[in-house]
mmCIF file of all heavy atoms in Angstrom:
data_model
loop_
_atom_site.group_PDB
_atom_site.id
_atom_site.type_symbol
_atom_site.label_atom_id
_atom_site.label_comp_id
_atom_site.label_asym_id
_atom_site.label_seq_id
_atom_site.Cartn_x
_atom_site.Cartn_y
_atom_site.Cartn_z
ATOM 1 N N PRO A 325 -6.560 -14.091 243.045
ATOM 2 C CA PRO A 325 -5.923 -15.391 243.258
ATOM 3 C C PRO A 325 -5.898 -16.285 242.017
ATOM 4 O O PRO A 325 -5.132 -17.234 241.943
ATOM 5 C CB PRO A 325 -6.763 -16.035 244.362
ATOM 6 C CG PRO A 325 -8.084 -15.358 244.288
ATOM 7 C CD PRO A 325 -7.806 -13.970 243.790
ATOM 8 N N ASP A 326 -6.738 -15.984 241.015
ATOM 9 C CA ASP A 326 -6.743 -16.799 239.790
ATOM 10 C C ASP A 326 -5.563 -16.504 238.877
ATOM 11 O O ASP A 326 -5.302 -17.255 237.950
ATOM 12 C CB ASP A 326 -8.042 -16.581 239.013
ATOM 13 C CG ASP A 326 -9.231 -17.228 239.680
ATOM 14 O OD1 ASP A 326 -9.019 -18.136 240.520
ATOM 15 O OD2 ASP A 326 -10.366 -16.825 239.379
ATOM 16 N N LEU A 327 -4.874 -15.417 239.120
ATOM 17 C CA LEU A 327 -3.754 -15.018 238.264
ATOM 18 C C LEU A 327 -2.468 -15.672 238.773
ATOM 19 O O LEU A 327 -1.651 -15.051 239.427
ATOM 20 C CB LEU A 327 -3.607 -13.496 238.243
ATOM 21 C CG LEU A 327 -2.659 -12.921 237.197
ATOM 22 C CD1 LEU A 327 -3.163 -13.253 235.797
ATOM 23 C CD2 LEU A 327 -2.561 -11.422 237.343
ATOM 24 N N THR A 328 -2.321 -16.955 238.465
ATOM 25 C CA THR A 328 -1.127 -17.687 238.859
ATOM 26 C C THR A 328 -0.301 -17.985 237.620
ATOM 27 O O THR A 328 -0.814 -17.970 236.492
ATOM 28 C CB THR A 328 -1.481 -19.020 239.549
ATOM 29 O OG1 THR A 328 -2.159 -19.862 238.604
ATOM 30 C CG2 THR A 328 -2.352 -18.802 240.779
ATOM 31 N N VAL A 329 0.956 -18.268 237.843
ATOM 32 C CA VAL A 329 1.851 -18.589 236.725
ATOM 33 C C VAL A 329 1.350 -19.833 235.997
ATOM 34 O O VAL A 329 1.322 -19.871 234.764
ATOM 35 C CB VAL A 329 3.305 -18.777 237.231
ATOM 36 C CG1 VAL A 329 4.190 -19.312 236.125
ATOM 37 C CG2 VAL A 329 3.858 -17.468 237.768
ATOM 38 N N GLU A 330 0.937 -20.838 236.735
ATOM 39 C CA GLU A 330 0.509 -22.097 236.121
ATOM 40 C C GLU A 330 -0.741 -21.914 235.257
ATOM 41 O O GLU A 330 -0.791 -22.371 234.116
ATOM 42 C CB GLU A 330 0.235 -23.162 237.193
ATOM 43 C CG GLU A 330 1.478 -23.634 237.916
ATOM 44 C CD GLU A 330 1.920 -22.673 239.034
ATOM 45 O OE1 GLU A 330 1.093 -21.847 239.498
ATOM 46 O OE2 GLU A 330 3.099 -22.730 239.410
ATOM 47 N N LYS A 331 -1.748 -21.221 235.819
ATOM 48 C CA LYS A 331 -2.987 -21.010 235.057
ATOM 49 C C LYS A 331 -2.750 -20.118 233.842
ATOM 50 O O LYS A 331 -3.288 -20.367 232.767
ATOM 51 C CB LYS A 331 -4.061 -20.388 235.949
ATOM 52 C CG LYS A 331 -4.720 -21.357 236.855
ATOM 53 C CD LYS A 331 -5.894 -20.691 237.537
ATOM 54 C CE LYS A 331 -6.901 -21.758 237.828
ATOM 55 N NZ LYS A 331 -8.244 -21.293 237.856
ATOM 56 N N THR A 332 -1.947 -19.096 234.022
ATOM 57 C CA THR A 332 -1.649 -18.198 232.908
ATOM 58 C C THR A 332 -0.888 -18.939 231.821
ATOM 59 O O THR A 332 -1.183 -18.787 230.637
ATOM 60 C CB THR A 332 -0.841 -16.973 233.393
ATOM 61 O OG1 THR A 332 -1.549 -16.344 234.457
ATOM 62 C CG2 THR A 332 -0.622 -15.981 232.267
ATOM 63 N N THR A 333 0.061 -19.767 232.218
ATOM 64 C CA THR A 333 0.838 -20.543 231.248
ATOM 65 C C THR A 333 -0.071 -21.496 230.476
ATOM 66 O O THR A 333 0.034 -21.599 229.245
ATOM 67 C CB THR A 333 1.972 -21.318 231.946
ATOM 68 O OG1 THR A 333 2.815 -20.390 232.622
ATOM 69 C CG2 THR A 333 2.797 -22.106 230.946
ATOM 70 N N GLU A 334 -0.965 -22.180 231.156
ATOM 71 C CA GLU A 334 -1.906 -23.081 230.479
ATOM 72 C C GLU A 334 -2.756 -22.311 229.471
ATOM 73 O O GLU A 334 -2.965 -22.770 228.346
ATOM 74 C CB GLU A 334 -2.812 -23.761 231.503
ATOM 75 C CG GLU A 334 -2.132 -24.817 232.330
ATOM 76 C CD GLU A 334 -3.055 -25.380 233.407
ATOM 77 O OE1 GLU A 334 -4.302 -25.367 233.202
ATOM 78 O OE2 GLU A 334 -2.543 -25.829 234.440
ATOM 79 N N PHE A 335 -3.259 -21.147 229.887
ATOM 80 C CA PHE A 335 -4.081 -20.327 228.999
ATOM 81 C C PHE A 335 -3.297 -19.916 227.756
ATOM 82 O O PHE A 335 -3.785 -20.018 226.630
ATOM 83 C CB PHE A 335 -4.592 -19.084 229.746
ATOM 84 C CG PHE A 335 -5.300 -18.112 228.855
ATOM 85 C CD1 PHE A 335 -6.615 -18.311 228.483
ATOM 86 C CD2 PHE A 335 -4.633 -16.989 228.365
ATOM 87 C CE1 PHE A 335 -7.268 -17.414 227.647
ATOM 88 C CE2 PHE A 335 -5.274 -16.091 227.530
ATOM 89 C CZ PHE A 335 -6.601 -16.301 227.166
ATOM 90 N N VAL A 336 -2.084 -19.434 227.980
ATOM 91 C CA VAL A 336 -1.250 -18.931 226.885
ATOM 92 C C VAL A 336 -0.912 -20.051 225.903
ATOM 93 O O VAL A 336 -0.999 -19.863 224.686
ATOM 94 C CB VAL A 336 0.031 -18.286 227.464
ATOM 95 C CG1 VAL A 336 1.088 -18.094 226.415
ATOM 96 C CG2 VAL A 336 -0.300 -16.978 228.136
ATOM 97 N N ILE A 337 -0.543 -21.202 226.400
ATOM 98 C CA ILE A 337 -0.196 -22.330 225.528
ATOM 99 C C ILE A 337 -1.406 -22.737 224.691
ATOM 100 O O ILE A 337 -1.297 -22.979 223.489
ATOM 101 C CB ILE A 337 0.354 -23.511 226.354
ATOM 102 C CG1 ILE A 337 1.742 -23.153 226.890
ATOM 103 C CG2 ILE A 337 0.398 -24.785 225.521
ATOM 104 C CD1 ILE A 337 2.296 -24.139 227.900
ATOM 105 N N SER A 338 -2.561 -22.778 225.325
ATOM 106 C CA SER A 338 -3.782 -23.134 224.610
ATOM 107 C C SER A 338 -4.130 -22.083 223.551
ATOM 108 O O SER A 338 -4.504 -22.424 222.428
ATOM 109 C CB SER A 338 -4.930 -23.275 225.608
ATOM 110 O OG SER A 338 -6.132 -23.522 224.942
#
Side-chain angles (χ1 to χ4, degrees):
D326 288 341
L327 191 63
T328 64
V329 171
E330 292 81 19
K331 282 188 151 209
T332 306
T333 301
E334 287 175 28
F335 173 80
V336 164
I337 289 171
S338 176

